[in-house]
Amino acid sequence: MDQRTRYATTLSRAEQTLGGRDRLARFLNVSPEKLETWLKGEEMPPLEAFLGSLDVIADGPFAGEERPIRVAAIREKR
């Protein structure tokens, strides 16, 4: 499976998780037309859109249209 197909498959699963293309487009802050080109594999989505779709899938039934606040811990080297 090439990267474009992998991204399209992941976006499709995120679309199903959120309950529709319009909801996913709002979540990713893109137009439904742009999302359509990514889902068809006509264009490669940016990494941020792919990672956003992974967030939706990871949140499962708790996924919403608003992006959750992600927290990263950075440890200092000793």
Side-chain angles (χ1 to χ4, degrees):
M1 179 183 300
D2 70 344
Q3 190 172 11
R4 187 176 293 184
T5 303
R6 185 174 301 114
Y7 279 28
T9 302
T10 303
L11 286 164
S12 179
R13 187 162 175 204
E15 174 188 13
Q16 293 171 355
T17 301
L18 274 181
R21 190 159 298 171
D22 288 336
R23 292 182 73 187
L24 180 59
R26 282 192 302 270
F27 180 85
L28 296 175
N29 198 28
V30 299
S31 70
E33 295 79 20
K34 178 55 77 177
L35 179 58
E36 179 75 22
T37 63
W38 298 342
L39 287 165
K40 288 181 178 179
E42 296 171 355
E43 287 183 24
M44 180 79 114
L47 181 59
E48 182 66 27
F50 175 69
L51 295 176
S53 65
L54 289 176
D55 286 341
V56 169
I57 294 166
D59 289 344
F62 303 105
E65 289 185 34
E66 294 183 23
R67 288 184 177 261
I69 297 171
R70 300 290 179 201
V71 178
I74 301 173
R75 294 186 179 159
E76 293 183 30
K77 291 183 180 181
R78 293 181 182 206

